[in-house]
Amino acid sequence: FENRTVLVVGASSGIGFEIAEALKFLGENLIVAARRADVLEANFSENTWISIDIKEEESVEKFFQIIEKKKLHVDTVFWCAAIYSPMSYIDFSYEEAKKITNINLTSVYYPFFRVTQEWIKNRGKFLDNPHWIWISSVAGYFGLPGSCAYGPTKSALNNIAESAFVEFKPFNIDISMVCPGFVDTRLTKKNKFHMPFIITPEQAKNEIFRGLQRGLFEIHFPKKFTIILKIIS
């Protein structure tokens, strides 16, 4: 990453926070973004963090204006932003489902479009192979009980990643899709059931970096869990 300008969206907790922490050595070539400005301010230097609420178009537009003003040419994006609430169709909340869908899916389109169009338009000005990394989930592999809102958003995100991988290949833009199993974060703490093979955010970060070093499109872990899910699907 030493020659890259990296943006981590969703850097205030979980996997996003671990990735951002590991890339602090980039100095001002690291940009961390999240809604919780207090967490960013407490953990990252003033010149590297920007508050953003991805569900608010005005906030997203202001974020890009700050990036342009700083004259930063982002060539690597980790998209880690997501919310989760365990929910079944039997005990369903339309408002919560709408909120999950908006943040996990609808809100990703504009930033993704905005950044990748810049990469296409400015080919040669950026690093040869800009890279967008989606942090998705094994919940997107197939329908799971208790995941009636979160699961479909991750399934759709996987679909976006797969389509984009093919479409951006001629432009030398790399796309990766990360599908972790259970990771011990403030989101999974909402689960009341046993979570097999659960790992720490630091372990997840290490798996992601190893997968990127190997040039993988799909990075999934822990294998003893994800391979079983792949066979079932």
Side-chain angles (χ1 to χ4, degrees):
F1 293 100
E2 61 187 17
N3 296 318
R4 291 179 176 266
T5 300
V6 181
L7 166 63
V8 183
V9 179
S12 61
S13 65
I15 294 174
F17 181 82
E18 287 295 332
I19 289 170
E21 277 281 308
L23 296 177
K24 274 184 173 178
F25 73 91
L26 291 172
E28 292 188 11
N29 285 332
L30 171 67
I31 308 151
V32 294
R35 183 177 55 84
R36 296 159 67 201
D38 57 329
V39 177
L40 299 182
E41 186 176 20
N43 291 280
F44 299 98
S45 64
E46 185 180 355
N47 292 328
T48 62
W49 68 268
I50 304 172
S51 178
I52 182 175
D53 186 343
I54 61 169
K55 71 180 185 299
E56 302 292 339
E57 289 184 15
E58 187 178 335
S59 177
V60 174
E61 198 56 53
K62 184 180 177 182
F63 170 80
F64 280 113
Q65 288 171 5
I66 293 170
I67 294 288
E68 288 168 5
K69 191 174 180 181
K70 287 175 175 278
K71 296 184 178 176
L72 292 168
H73 298 295
V74 173
D75 51 49
T76 305
V77 177
F78 286 90
W79 191 272
C80 313
I83 61 170
Y84 165 71
S85 292
M87 189 195 312
S88 71
Y89 290 113
I90 298 161
D91 184 20
F92 185 75
S93 165
Y94 171 69
E95 288 303 318
E96 186 66 15
K98 188 165 66 170
K99 182 180 173 184
I100 291 169
T101 304
N102 187 21
I103 290 175
N104 293 6
L105 179 59
T106 311
S107 298
V108 311
Y109 280 107
Y110 178 66
F112 185 50
F113 167 77
R114 178 80 177 259
V115 171
T116 52
Q117 286 300 305
E118 279 293 307
W119 287 346
I120 291 171
K121 190 169 67 177
N122 294 294
R123 288 178 76 189
K125 293 182 183 178
F126 295 100
L127 202 68
D128 286 343
N129 59 320
H131 198 162
W132 187 289
I133 301 109
W134 297 107
I135 307 299
S136 187
S137 170
V138 295
Y141 284 170
F142 56 92
L144 293 167
S147 186
C148 69
Y150 180 79
T153 64
K154 292 303 182 180
S155 182
L157 198 63
N158 292 353
N159 190 295
I160 290 171
E162 289 163 354
S163 301
F165 176 79
V166 176
E167 291 186 6
F168 287 123
K169 204 75 173 172
F171 300 96
N172 208 31
I173 294 172
D174 291 330
I175 303 290
S176 290
M177 177 178 81
V178 179
C179 293
F182 293 110
V183 181
D184 187 11
T185 67
R186 64 189 181 90
L187 296 183
T188 54
K189 281 181 174 28
K190 297 178 181 181
N191 290 332
K192 304 300 182 187
F193 55 85
H194 170 66
M195 293 176 279
F197 306 110
I198 190 166
I199 62 173
T200 66
E202 184 180 8
Q203 288 173 309
K205 175 259 298 179
N206 291 337
E207 291 281 359
I208 292 167
F209 285 169
R210 274 196 289 269
L212 293 175
Q213 284 179 322
R214 292 174 59 197
L216 299 178
F217 161 66
E218 183 184 357
I219 302 165
H220 61 94
F221 53 86
K223 294 288 192 300
K224 53 192 172 184
F225 181 52
T226 56
I227 288 172
I228 292 169
L229 292 180
K230 281 180 170 290
I231 291 169
I232 293 171
S233 70

